[in-house]
Amino acid sequence: MIQSQEEREDASGTNRGLVDRIWDIFSSMKLGLFLLLLIAVASIIGTVIPQNGDPRQYGSLYSLYSALGLIDMYHSSWFMILLFLLAMNLFICTFNRAPGIWRQFSRPSLPTGAESVGGLATERPEPVDELARHVSELWQRLGYRVFSESRDGKHYIYADKGRFGLWGSLLSHVGMLVILIGGVVGLYGGEEGRMPAEVGKTFRFADVPGLPKDENLEIQVNDFRTVFREDGTIADWFSNLTLLENGREIMTKEIQVNDPLEYRGYKVYQAFYGSHIVAKITSKNDPEGHAYTVEEGDVIPVAGTDLAVLVYKYIPDFDPARGMISKSSEPHNPRIVFVVYKGRQQIDARAAEIGKAETIAGGLAEVTFPQYKPYTGLSIRRDPGVNIVWFGCAWLLIGLALSFYIFHRQVRAVVEAREGGSRLHVGGTAAKNKIAFADEFQRLIEPYCHTDRKGMEA
């Protein structure tokens, strides 16, 4: 079907209206604040709910969390949509404001007439040209940038100060947009893997899930220790690591939480810890017994019985008077605390010496813990977006500094002839810090008139 010219124009107008409405929505500051709030709430949820954990960690909520994308939230489609909408909002706000700010920064417009200046007017005996020159020179001496023009027998004057403050909000928007881009680059271009490693072991980066398979770096774990507070809670973990490249030692460093080993863009963090506990259990029905390698919290069934052993906790320096609280961080008197269950009923709890057999359930079984092997849990990351994020942070801080510490002040004047002299119309505006500007405005006009600040616009 062929449309008429009028129909095509109507359709074109409708399309432009829709685009304009969408553009207006994305340029809204309210939308930006709302999106920031949503992302902040989502980030809190992502902190509270462990990310990429074992399904057993989430219990019965695993199916719900998985369906809502909360297990790997920062890679979920809905979180990416939020970031995309925020990026669009920041870009459009920046695009909209940049031309106007540049015009006002580089060549602001002069007043168009006395009515555009404000309500303050005073009559002076000086001729028009002389008064206009005096006003311009005074404002320049007070640090103002002055533009003036003479036409139709009148002088039009514009002066401003602190014009770099105009860029504050724009640079803040640019900084946030760059930070957002850096975050997305890190999410999709970065690499991260986690590796438990026992003391004395060496592992290759290529063997860590999530890291490149062609990477030729290795980590050797020289030592790992847990430091306890007086009340028995953990104060910190320390891992002494040696980094090797192609078998050659590059560096050795003791890392702790928030103090990683760094090399070639990789950061090796102290992220978690654990232990491999070797347990051997024999029973009358199984005299040869079985050996198990377990971790704290694991339960071992006793073959041929309804008994089960919960490997509860390792205590490096056991003291019966202190219970579950270790006397020190050193393994002076190491014990494994275990609990025996018969069905669902707890029937025994003990602290076993390493390597010493413990008879349980009236001689039905025997438990021995021949080895305790602690491991350090390392998180290895390479984030190509981190420098972009820091660059964005720098722009954001510059923008905030300009916004908070430099405020733009504008003064406009029109000088016109009158019988016996001239008439001066003058007014001023300031976006922020109006009280300070009121005093400054007094100094600007004091030689020419006395005022009670009527010429300063709110």
Side-chain angles (χ1 to χ4, degrees):
M1 187 176 81
I2 300 175
Q3 289 182 311
S4 67
Q5 178 68 24
E6 290 182 359
E7 289 174 331
R8 286 197 296 271
E9 287 178 356
D10 290 343
S12 175
T14 303
N15 291 333
R16 283 201 303 273
L18 178 61
V19 171
D20 289 341
R21 285 195 295 272
I22 294 174
W23 187 272
D24 290 341
I25 290 171
F26 274 102
S27 63
S28 167
M29 182 181 294
K30 291 180 180 179
L31 175 64
L33 294 174
F34 179 67
L35 290 170
L36 282 173
L37 178 62
L38 287 181
I39 291 171
V41 171
S43 299
I44 292 172
I45 294 172
T47 302
V48 173
I49 299 175
Q51 298 295 294
N52 299 302
D54 189 286
R56 293 173 297 178
Q57 234 179 313
Y58 308 100
S60 60
L61 294 173
Y62 176 76
S63 298
L64 175 63
Y65 287 168
S66 181
L68 295 176
L70 300 178
I71 303 299
D72 188 12
M73 191 191 77
Y74 300 109
H75 291 90
S76 64
S77 57
W78 63 265
F79 191 77
M80 288 299 105
I81 290 172
L82 285 179
L83 295 182
F84 173 76
L85 292 176
L86 180 61
M88 288 294 294
N89 175 256
L90 291 171
F91 174 77
I92 290 175
C93 285
T94 303
F95 185 84
N96 275 353
R97 298 191 62 192
I101 291 175
W102 174 250
R103 283 195 300 271
Q104 194 170 2
F105 178 84
S106 60
R107 187 68 185 179
S109 57
L110 295 167
T112 56
E115 66 281 356
S116 66
V117 169
L120 179 64
T122 183
E123 296 184 352
R124 299 290 300 175
E126 300 96 327
V128 171
D129 292 344
E130 183 180 341
L131 179 59
R133 180 170 54 80
H134 285 165
V135 169
S136 298
E137 290 175 352
L138 172 66
W139 290 359
Q140 284 178 336
R141 286 198 301 272
L142 292 175
Y144 277 72
R145 177 185 62 159
V146 178
F147 296 90
S148 64
E149 182 180 274
S150 176
R151 63 177 185 271
D152 302 327
K154 298 179 182 180
H155 276 273
Y156 301 88
I157 304 171
Y158 171 89
D160 68 357
K161 191 176 183 179
R163 66 186 184 277
F164 285 96
L166 290 168
W167 296 103
S169 62
L170 190 74
L171 292 183
S172 298
H173 280 79
V174 171
M176 292 175 65
L177 183 59
V178 172
I179 290 171
L180 198 58
I181 292 170
V184 173
V185 170
L187 276 175
Y188 287 97
E191 297 148 350
E192 181 175 0
R194 292 161 68 89
M195 175 64 77
E198 297 175 4
V199 174
K201 301 290 186 180
T202 300
F203 66 87
R204 300 187 308 146
F205 279 32
D207 296 331
V208 178
L211 298 187
K213 298 304 178 185
D214 58 349
E215 189 56 75
N216 56 4
L217 296 176
E218 296 176 286
I219 288 287
Q220 176 181 301
V221 182
N222 305 315
D223 189 28
F224 171 68
R225 57 194 174 91
T226 303
V227 177
F228 296 89
R229 300 185 182 92
E230 284 295 322
D231 61 359
T233 57
I234 294 172
D236 210 341
W237 301 285
F238 295 88
S239 295
N240 187 282
L241 309 176
T242 296
L243 178 71
L244 303 102
E245 185 173 18
N246 295 321
R248 181 173 59 89
E249 181 177 329
I250 301 299
M251 68 175 73
T252 296
K253 179 177 179 177
E254 183 172 75
I255 68 169
Q256 64 187 98
V257 176
N258 296 326
D259 182 20
L261 181 152
E262 299 183 41
Y263 181 70
R264 262 180 40 195
Y266 283 104
K267 292 185 179 182
V268 183
Y269 289 90
Q270 178 68 62
F272 59 102
Y273 82 107
S275 59
H276 292 142
I277 302 171
V278 178
K280 183 176 181 181
I281 299 181
T282 61
S283 66
K284 289 184 176 180
N285 296 327
D286 184 18
E288 293 296 323
H290 288 83
Y292 305 87
T293 299
V294 297
E295 297 191 27
E296 292 179 350
D298 287 345
V299 176
I300 308 170
V302 179
T305 71
D306 60 350
L307 300 175
V309 176
L310 167 65
V311 182
Y312 183 66
K313 186 178 182 180
Y314 168 77
I315 301 176
D317 194 2
F318 180 72
D319 182 351
R322 294 172 64 90
M324 294 293 171
I325 300 175
S326 181
K327 284 177 64 177
S328 69
S329 303
E330 302 300 323
H332 296 310
N333 185 25
R335 300 290 181 98
I336 304 292
V337 177
F338 69 95
V339 180
V340 181
Y341 287 88
K342 184 178 178 63
R344 294 181 176 273
Q345 182 181 2
Q346 178 182 329
I347 62 172
D348 201 356
R350 301 186 199 177
E353 295 182 30
I354 303 296
K356 183 179 178 180
E358 295 280 344
T359 302
I360 61 173
L364 286 177
E366 192 174 82
V367 180
T368 309
F369 298 100
Q371 266 188 311
Y372 169 81
K373 297 182 287 185
Y375 64 76
T376 179
L378 303 176
S379 174
I380 305 169
R381 304 174 195 168
R382 182 162 65 178
D383 185 354
V386 67
N387 290 330
I388 300 175
V389 170
W390 283 117
F391 183 70
C393 287
W395 280 108
L396 177 60
L397 290 175
I398 292 171
L400 291 175
L402 291 175
S403 295
F404 283 110
Y405 296 107
I406 300 179
F407 63 100
H408 189 223
R409 291 89 89 192
Q410 303 174 79
V411 186
R412 295 177 175 85
V414 174
V415 184
E416 59 186 4
R418 70 166 185 90
E419 186 177 349
S422 57
R423 179 179 290 109
L424 172 66
H425 302 268
V426 62
T429 60
K432 291 174 290 192
N433 205 356
K434 292 182 173 59
I435 295 176
F437 178 63
D439 295 331
E440 188 170 336
F441 185 73
Q442 287 292 104
R443 294 193 297 273
L444 292 170
I445 64 173
E446 192 172 18
Y448 312 107
C449 58
H450 299 286
T451 178
D452 55 358
R453 301 178 180 177
K454 290 180 182 177
M456 192 193 76
E457 295 180 21

